[in-house]
Amino acid sequence: MNASLPDVQALSAGRVFTGDRWLDNHTVLYDRQRILQILPTGSVDPAVPRRDFPDGILAPAFLDLQIYGAYGKLLAVYPEPDSLARLEQYCRSGGAKYCMPTVATNDAAVFRRSIDAIRAYWKAGGTGVLGLHVEGPWINPVRKGAHLERFIHAPSLDEVKDLLDYGQDVIRIITLAPEVCSPEVIRYLLSRGIILSAGHSNASYQEAMEGFHLGIPAATHLYNAMSPLQHRAPGLVGAVFNHPSVMASIIPDGHHVDFPAIRIAKKMLGERLFVITDAVTQTEEGPYPHQLVGDKYESAGILSGSALTLNRAVRNLVEMTEIPLEEALRMCSLYPARVVRLDQRLGRIAPGFEPALVALDRDLNVLGMS
């Protein structure tokens, strides 16, 4: 490697996980746009600026596709660039370079202001925010969880068109209940490139499978706020398990889902299971106040969000569910990248991929990122 090339930098570690395999004592060379090479550390030109983590692990940076706010500011309450900057800072503290800020069931004005905030953040040069995850209001009140019933309704096609026209290129994911949305609405959302995720749903097994056959590719926070798997009523959980390609997010904080249930889901779904934090922040303002109770958040006594970061999620998966470290890392990087159709750019350490890297110590604390 010619060290005179502009902007070339290097990260090295005792162990490098590429997303496919482990390499010992290797260095990743990259510029601003892409990874250039992965070389044995001893063969790298010493003139290349390098950060070295000889006792650490280098892995693909994480992606969090469902997070609501951080450091005292929920995006829905404070739809402004500073909320997004705090959210991104929180994500990076846990090893996530990219995130999908999320707004729960609300009125249309809140969604629009959140869309405006993301556009303003991007215009000011903000990075790390992939777009907006709209969770509701087109969900089933029977499975509302902490969502407010006064906002919940079935959508008309005109309402859907208005929201997507306003949120063009910002709205990336919408969580909805397939049984409350017409096939026409679902087809239209998919035709606009929206990634649909079935959640807050009381769908029967048949209704869920019909939604998946229409093209819904994912499910939101598996087990939580959805019709459960029962032996005579397999529900949405059963449909997710039985469909060959639908992916599902899960929250491994020990409160939203028991760890043995995560182990079962992993055996059923394999590479189709990925991690979100579902993280919120302490707030008394807005329709969704959240109070920190131990290491989780509640709203009016109902579990309303986590205090999780993705590096802690990896640790929980390894320690509590016996998922191998490399697979836990993929569940927080490569698999969510697949959901948002960015797996040709993110989720691996390979030439041509974006230089999105996280350095971790052996206890999975974050040491640094690129």
Side-chain angles (χ1 to χ4, degrees):
M1 171 59 62
N2 185 348
S4 66
L5 290 175
D7 302 321
V8 175
Q9 300 182 61
L11 273 175
S12 61
R15 301 196 77 200
V16 176
F17 179 63
T18 67
D20 298 304
R21 59 187 178 129
W22 290 99
L23 300 172
D24 291 331
N25 298 312
H26 273 61
T27 295
V28 180
L29 294 162
Y30 60 95
D31 61 17
R32 293 180 182 180
Q33 285 79 39
R34 66 195 186 284
I35 293 171
L36 302 172
Q37 287 181 287
I38 308 169
L39 299 171
T41 296
S43 67
V44 175
D45 186 339
V48 176
R50 188 175 83 191
R51 285 181 289 166
D52 189 16
F53 302 97
D55 297 319
I57 296 167
L58 195 60
F62 307 140
L63 292 79
D64 191 351
L65 301 186
Q66 191 161 338
I67 180 170
Y68 304 85
Y71 302 127
K73 280 193 170 182
L74 284 176
L75 177 60
V77 177
Y78 299 98
E80 57 197 33
D82 182 62
S83 299
L84 295 164
R86 294 180 186 215
L87 192 152
E88 185 185 354
Q89 180 185 357
Y90 177 88
C91 287
R92 289 183 69 91
S93 75
K97 186 169 183 177
Y98 289 103
C99 62
M100 195 77 70
T102 306
V103 175
T105 294
N106 230 302
D107 63 39
V110 170
F111 292 122
R112 288 180 176 236
R113 288 195 292 270
S114 300
I115 290 164
D116 293 342
I118 290 176
R119 287 201 176 108
Y121 186 68
W122 287 341
K123 187 175 181 179
T127 61
V129 171
L130 293 171
L132 182 66
H133 181 164
V134 175
E135 188 190 17
W138 309 326
I139 59 175
N140 195 319
V142 175
R143 299 290 176 181
K144 66 181 185 294
H147 290 224
L148 293 178
E149 190 164 352
R150 70 176 185 266
F151 296 122
I152 296 171
H153 63 277
S156 69
L157 187 58
D158 285 342
E159 177 189 1
V160 171
K161 289 179 177 178
D162 286 346
L163 179 63
L164 294 197
D165 287 345
Y166 194 88
Q168 178 75 31
D169 300 325
V170 174
I171 298 173
R172 297 289 303 279
I173 300 175
I174 294 178
T175 290
L176 51 73
E179 75 276 15
V180 305
C181 298
S182 69
E184 181 184 29
V185 161
I186 291 172
R187 289 191 186 100
Y188 180 77
L189 287 162
L190 293 168
S191 76
R192 293 287 296 267
I194 302 300
I195 299 160
L196 297 183
S197 190
H200 289 275
S201 166
N202 200 42
S204 67
Y205 178 85
Q206 290 76 17
E207 289 171 328
M209 291 299 277
E210 287 170 7
F212 295 150
H213 290 151
L214 285 171
I216 295 174
T220 294
H221 44 54
L222 184 68
Y223 298 121
N224 297 115
M226 62 175 61
S227 45
L229 171 64
Q230 298 177 332
H231 68 295
R232 291 193 179 96
L236 178 52
V237 173
V240 171
F241 283 172
N242 263 0
H243 195 280
S245 62
V246 166
M247 300 188 72
S249 62
I250 203 156
I251 310 164
D253 64 347
H255 300 291
H256 284 79
V257 183
D258 281 352
F259 291 117
I262 295 177
R263 193 178 301 122
I264 292 167
K266 185 62 179 169
K267 289 179 180 178
M268 294 298 299
L269 299 180
E271 295 185 4
R272 297 190 287 126
L273 190 67
F274 68 97
V275 171
I276 55 172
T277 64
D278 200 59
V280 298
T281 188
Q282 183 88 19
T283 181
E284 300 295 334
E285 301 180 65
Y288 292 106
H290 300 284
Q291 293 82 41
L292 184 63
V293 180
D295 59 349
K296 66 183 185 300
Y297 286 91
E298 295 181 356
S299 181
I302 299 172
L303 181 65
S304 61
S306 87
L308 199 60
T309 57
L310 283 178
N311 69 310
R312 291 204 299 271
V314 171
R315 186 185 302 132
N316 286 346
L317 292 173
V318 172
E319 294 180 354
M320 306 302 295
T321 72
E322 300 175 353
I323 291 173
L325 174 57
E326 56 268 24
E327 185 63 9
L329 292 169
R330 281 189 286 255
M331 289 172 69
C332 295
S333 56
L334 178 60
Y335 302 159
R338 284 179 182 168
V339 174
V340 290
R341 306 164 190 152
L342 294 175
D343 54 313
Q344 298 304 306
R345 166 188 152 194
L346 299 169
R348 283 192 170 92
I349 300 177
F353 274 64
E354 186 173 319
L357 312 169
V358 60
L360 305 163
D361 67 19
R362 299 307 170 103
D363 295 320
L364 302 175
N365 300 303
V366 175
L367 299 174
M369 291 186 66
S370 67

